[in-house]
Amino acid sequence: DAAFAGIALAIIILTPALPTAEARVAATKAYLDAAARAKFLKRLIFSTGLVGQDSNAVSPITLARGAIALEQYLMNEAELNVRWTIVRPGLFMENFFSMVRSIRNGFFSLPIRNARICPISTRDIGDVLALIAETHTGGNWDRKIIRLTGPEALTGEEIAEAISYGTGRKVTYKPLSSEEAYREFIDQGYPEWLAKQGVELYDLLASGYDRLPSHEYERIMGHKGMRMHEFFKVNQQYFH
């Protein structure tokens, strides 16, 4: 409860730091319940992620199960006397930092088959969270669910073109199977449970879940978010 003492606004960000959906739900519920008891708290911003569906059905995606359960708890069960806003960011552009070595060698790999995805920069996510925080006393954000994506829906080949343009070096796309992706996660040092959840996430993306930009960032901020080639241009020193 001390974490919420004397504050009017809180942002809770759901992370995959625990190996099961059940453990993640239990740990985060404790924070939501503490927020409900906070005397001065007026606004709670809850950032979850790709949930895979907007229903009460059990998702096959571990990350989504935790997010769905917690969103439902926040909306329907937690005894909150505060205004809340849910933000659902998509795949982070910053995930490509884990591919620095292969990009330096002229390729990158993802298990998304021919699907389009809409990665978003964490900078843009932070901008939206900051704006909600700065304007939280109004009613514009009450009980809103905001799905955040980048401004472009790109295939693997188009991402390779964006990387090439942004870094100034030729990069190609190498599709992976789910099994190959799992082995790559393990080789990168991921624990088995996190490698499995990573594959589940990319299987969701490969199914076409993130194939269309939401344009919520542009609507909220008044301008387009960072494009993929811009991300690599800004960070090109890391990929050389």
Side-chain angles (χ1 to χ4, degrees), residues 9-13 43-47 84-85 87 129 132-133:
L9 177 141
I11 300 175
I12 296 178
I13 299 176
R43 167 79 61 186
L44 177 64
I45 304 170
F46 188 31
S47 179
W84 57 259
T85 308
V87 178
L129 294 177
I132 296 173

Side-chain angles (χ1 to χ4, degrees), residues 26-162:
T28 309
K29 273 185 178 180
Y31 281 99
L32 295 177
D33 290 340
R37 295 189 294 269
K39 184 177 181 180
F40 299 104
L41 191 66
K42 302 299 181 185
R43 167 79 61 186
L44 177 64
I45 304 170
F46 188 31
S47 179
T48 56
L50 288 163
V51 301
Q53 57 193 42
D54 298 302
S55 73
N56 290 315
V58 176
S59 172
I61 310 300
T62 304
L63 291 171
R65 285 204 302 276
I68 292 169
L70 288 164
E71 287 185 2
Q72 292 295 327
Y73 184 73
L74 173 62
M75 290 186 285
N76 302 318
E77 297 180 43
E79 297 181 0
L80 285 172
N81 296 315
V82 301
R83 296 169 171 176
W84 57 259
T85 308
I86 292 172
V87 178
R88 293 176 176 171
L91 184 71
F92 301 157
M93 290 182 183
E94 285 73 10
N95 288 358
F96 284 86
F97 282 128
S98 69
M99 307 174 201
V100 164
R101 182 181 302 175
S102 65
I103 289 173
R104 286 174 178 170
N105 289 324
F107 72 95
F108 80 99
S109 303
L110 282 178
I112 59 171
R113 300 192 286 274
N114 296 317
R116 292 184 178 274
I117 59 175
C118 306
I120 182 170
S121 168
T122 56
R123 182 202 69 176
D124 290 345
I125 298 169
D127 286 346
V128 171
L129 294 177
L131 181 64
I132 296 173
E134 290 169 0
T135 59
H136 74 92
T137 54
N140 292 338
W141 310 111
D142 290 358
R143 303 183 68 84
K144 293 290 179 64
I145 298 176
I146 301 168
R147 176 175 166 259
L148 289 179
T149 72
E152 305 171 294
L154 303 173
T155 64
E157 288 81 6
E158 289 168 340
I159 292 173
E161 292 175 4

